[in-house]
Amino acid sequence: MEGGRPTWGELLLGLAVSLLLQGRTNTFTINCSGFDMSGVDPASFEVIFSQKDFPPVTNYSIPIHVNISFTMSAILDVDAQLQLLTSFLWLKMAWIHPYISWDPEDCGGINKLSVTAENLWLPDIFIVESTDVDQTPDGLSAYVAHNGRIVYRKPVRLTSICSLNIFYFPFDQQNCTLTFSSFLYTVENMLLDLDKNVWEIADTSKDIIRTQGEWELLGIDKATPKMSVGSSLFDQIVLYVAIRRRPGLYVINLLVPSGFLMAIDALSFYLPAENENRAPFKITLLLGYNVFLLMMNKLLPSSGNPLINIYFSLCLSLMVVSLLETIFITYLLHVATTQPPPMPPWLHSLLLYCTSPWKGCPAMFWKKKVDPHLPPTQLPGLMELEERGAKEQRPRETELTEGSGWTRAQLVDLWVWFGHVMDTFLFRLYLLFLATSIITVLVLWST
Ligand SMILES: *[C@@H]1O[C@H](CO)[C@@H](O)[C@H](O)[C@H]1NC(C)=O
Ligand SMILES: *[C@@H]1O[C@H](CO)[C@@H](O)[C@H](O)[C@H]1NC(C)=O
Ligand SMILES: *[C@@H]1O[C@H](CO)[C@@H](O)[C@H](O)[C@H]1NC(C)=O
Ligand SMILES: *[C@@H]1O[C@H](CO)[C@@H](O)[C@H](O)[C@H]1NC(C)=O
């Protein structure tokens, strides 16, 4: 009867089994007399070494518990193109060998011995994301404790697949997964556990990683889902390793020079519009920016489409736009000073409306010139042009241009003034766009 009181027969059987088991464990107690004086007697471990091809279990229904932990000692490389993380781990595994036990008191206080690992059964733990075959060095040893606990450490140079998202380059964080699992043993035969808390692993790793390289370890997270392949279920430990790029190199080499070039481009609007150096200056800047991009191209990730690429193309387009604006204003001033077309009345009203001081439109040229109906005063830089034009056209200067009621000189003045208002207006538009795009990029980067 299941669940009922055990009968005498069952009790006797249980007693017999436990006695038998007791006897068995005694059989595996290692005779360590003399270890402290004459060294280890290989004969004592003969039985254990000869069993190394089989998992150390007394009952095949009970899975072996293997405890895992590791220390990340270096982050060597993060390859965005191949989506690979190369790191160096010190992997530690611990499990109980039920056939090993001795009494330290009988053995001169020896608590643990180191044993060449090839003489022992080793769990076949591997890292699922790894793309390299195991390159464990030969001749490693393991510690065997008197209670049968075996601790085995090995160094692992790990090249693991990691899904990298470089959109926020160079302010990016990556979250790489390391999955520890047995290659062969299913959950019926092997269970995995973490030896330490993840924060302990993360803290030790942060202490150990001495490299001041590009990447910094942020933290480690854990999950323990079981993995099923076909009908078999494998135990596994999933660890999420969060790393962050140190952006200093990129800020200094990419963002700061680019920012300076943009600032100079913006400031070059303060060169007088009549100055014929303005367009060449901007062309030189544009050229300089292109050379800068060519030289710094190798610092950028070679794949994906990071935000910084968009930022650079935005800067480049802004420079092109500012050059186009200069060409437009130069053309406008040229037309204005040589063949001023009649100014449509609405444009004149708009100008007048705009230059009322409280409307917020550019008024600085207006203030200088006081009133468009007064005789033109000379603008700096426009002097010679005006003079030349005046000499050539003197006979017609006082003639009224058809239908507008302005003399030619007044019309030239109005158009020049319009050109300056346009220049200032477009400059402000440019500044607004520049500020908006830079703020957008900064906000995106900081999230
Ligand atoms: C342990 O081994 C020593 C010799 O190495 C032997 O004299 C002693 O009897 C052994 N003890 C047991 C309990 O087998
Ligand atoms: C092995 O373990 C299972 C489950 O714990 C138990 O039912 C069975 O009796 C054990 N077998 C032996 C021989 O101890
Ligand atoms: C494995 O770790 C657990 C706690 O996480 C601990 O109780 C157990 O003794 C460890 N086993 C070995 C073999 O270290
Ligand atoms: C990494 O990703 C996993 C799942 O995708 C998530 O559970 C974990 O919190 C992430 N870790 C960090 C530090 O973002």
Side-chain angles (χ1 to χ4, degrees), residues 44-96:
S44 329
F45 281 95
E46 199 61 48
V47 188
I48 288 151
F49 291 171
S50 64
Q51 283 181 330
K52 66 169 179 164
D53 294 331
F54 306 99
V57 284
T58 44
N59 181 342
Y60 274 86
S61 315
I62 300 172
I64 312 173
H65 286 262
V66 178
N67 282 3
I68 296 173
S69 86
F70 69 90
T71 307
M72 188 172 268
S73 65
I75 299 168
L76 300 174
D77 189 26
V78 175
D79 189 329
Q81 194 172 13
L82 298 177
Q83 302 268 298
L84 290 178
L85 162 76
T86 310
S87 55
F88 204 82
L89 305 183
W90 301 338
L91 188 60
K92 174 187 167 192
M93 293 180 250
W95 66 98
I96 300 283

Side-chain angles (χ1 to χ4, degrees), residues 198-219:
V198 271
W199 60 265
E200 280 178 279
I201 296 180
D203 281 0
T204 342
S205 302
K206 278 182 209 166
D207 284 349
I208 296 287
I209 296 181
R210 295 256 176 265
T211 49
Q212 290 293 314
E214 192 179 341
W215 293 89
E216 175 188 9
L217 183 69
L218 271 188

Side-chain angles (χ1 to χ4, degrees), residues 177-213:
T177 317
L178 299 182
T179 309
F180 294 86
S181 179
S182 166
F183 204 70
L184 174 75
Y185 297 103
T186 54
V187 277
E188 291 92 47
N189 299 118
M190 189 181 283
L191 290 177
L192 303 178
D193 207 345
L194 264 189
D195 217 14
K196 296 188 227 166
N197 289 322
V198 271
W199 60 265
E200 280 178 279
I201 296 180
D203 281 0
T204 342
S205 302
K206 278 182 209 166
D207 284 349
I208 296 287
I209 296 181
R210 295 256 176 265
T211 49
Q212 290 293 314

Side-chain angles (χ1 to χ4, degrees), residues 9-314:
E10 277 169 350
L11 276 182
L12 272 178
L13 188 70
L15 195 66
V17 164
S18 59
L19 275 178
L20 252 176
L21 278 177
Q22 195 72 27
R24 279 173 61 127
T25 30
N26 276 345
T27 323
F28 293 109
T29 302
I30 289 168
N31 177 1
C32 58
S33 59
F35 277 18
D36 52 331
M37 264 115 58
S38 50
V40 174
D41 180 8
S44 329
F45 281 95
E46 199 61 48
V47 188
I48 288 151
F49 291 171
S50 64
Q51 283 181 330
K52 66 169 179 164
D53 294 331
F54 306 99
V57 284
T58 44
N59 181 342
Y60 274 86
S61 315
I62 300 172
I64 312 173
H65 286 262
V66 178
N67 282 3
I68 296 173
S69 86
F70 69 90
T71 307
M72 188 172 268
S73 65
I75 299 168
L76 300 174
D77 189 26
V78 175
D79 189 329
Q81 194 172 13
L82 298 177
Q83 302 268 298
L84 290 178
L85 162 76
T86 310
S87 55
F88 204 82
L89 305 183
W90 301 338
L91 188 60
K92 174 187 167 192
M93 293 180 250
W95 66 98
I96 300 283
H97 197 307
Y99 298 152
I100 297 179
S101 79
W102 70 81
D103 188 354
E105 278 176 27
D106 294 350
C107 309
I110 296 174
N111 274 318
K112 59 179 183 181
L113 286 168
S114 73
V115 174
T116 315
E118 28 188 76
N119 289 322
L120 295 169
W121 174 89
L122 300 174
D124 58 345
I125 306 295
F126 80 115
I127 294 167
V128 177
E129 285 81 13
S130 174
T131 56
D132 264 352
V133 285
D134 192 8
Q135 292 170 339
T136 312
D138 294 336
L140 292 175
S141 295
Y143 264 127
V144 179
H146 69 90
N147 56 3
R149 185 167 187 261
I150 299 184
V151 176
Y152 173 57
R153 295 169 195 267
K154 65 175 182 179
V156 182
R157 189 196 154 97
L158 178 69
T159 307
S160 60
I161 297 166
C162 177
S163 159
L164 299 165
N165 178 3
I166 46 141
F167 182 69
Y168 294 110
F169 173 90
F171 302 103
D172 52 337
Q173 271 185 28
Q174 307 296 346
N175 190 351
C176 292
T177 317
L178 299 182
T179 309
F180 294 86
S181 179
S182 166
F183 204 70
L184 174 75
Y185 297 103
T186 54
V187 277
E188 291 92 47
N189 299 118
M190 189 181 283
L191 290 177
L192 303 178
D193 207 345
L194 264 189
D195 217 14
K196 296 188 227 166
N197 289 322
V198 271
W199 60 265
E200 280 178 279
I201 296 180
D203 281 0
T204 342
S205 302
K206 278 182 209 166
D207 284 349
I208 296 287
I209 296 181
R210 295 256 176 265
T211 49
Q212 290 293 314
E214 192 179 341
W215 293 89
E216 175 188 9
L217 183 69
L218 271 188
I220 299 178
D221 262 351
K222 174 185 133 176
T224 48
K226 305 262 188 284
M227 172 174 65
S228 68
V229 178
S231 58
S232 31
L233 201 60
F234 293 89
D235 197 13
Q236 59 179 13
I237 292 178
V238 182
L239 293 166
Y240 301 108
V241 179
I243 54 177
R244 179 171 59 195
R245 198 190 293 269
R246 291 194 177 95
L249 173 78
Y250 301 99
V251 170
I252 289 172
N253 285 308
L254 294 176
L255 297 182
V256 170
S258 159
F260 278 140
L261 286 173
M262 279 314 286
I264 296 175
D265 188 52
L267 287 178
S268 68
F269 275 96
Y270 285 107
L271 288 177
E274 297 80 18
N275 191 330
E276 62 246 21
N277 282 338
R278 189 162 158 188
F281 184 77
K282 293 206 176 207
I283 292 174
T284 318
L285 265 185
L286 195 62
L287 204 66
Y289 200 74
N290 271 313
V291 171
F292 159 75
L293 283 187
L294 272 181
M295 281 173 60
M296 291 305 163
N297 201 23
K298 61 177 188 298
L299 278 183
L300 293 173
S302 46
S303 68
N305 197 11
L307 190 59
I308 198 165
N309 283 0
I310 302 169
Y311 169 75
F312 283 147
S313 14
L314 200 76

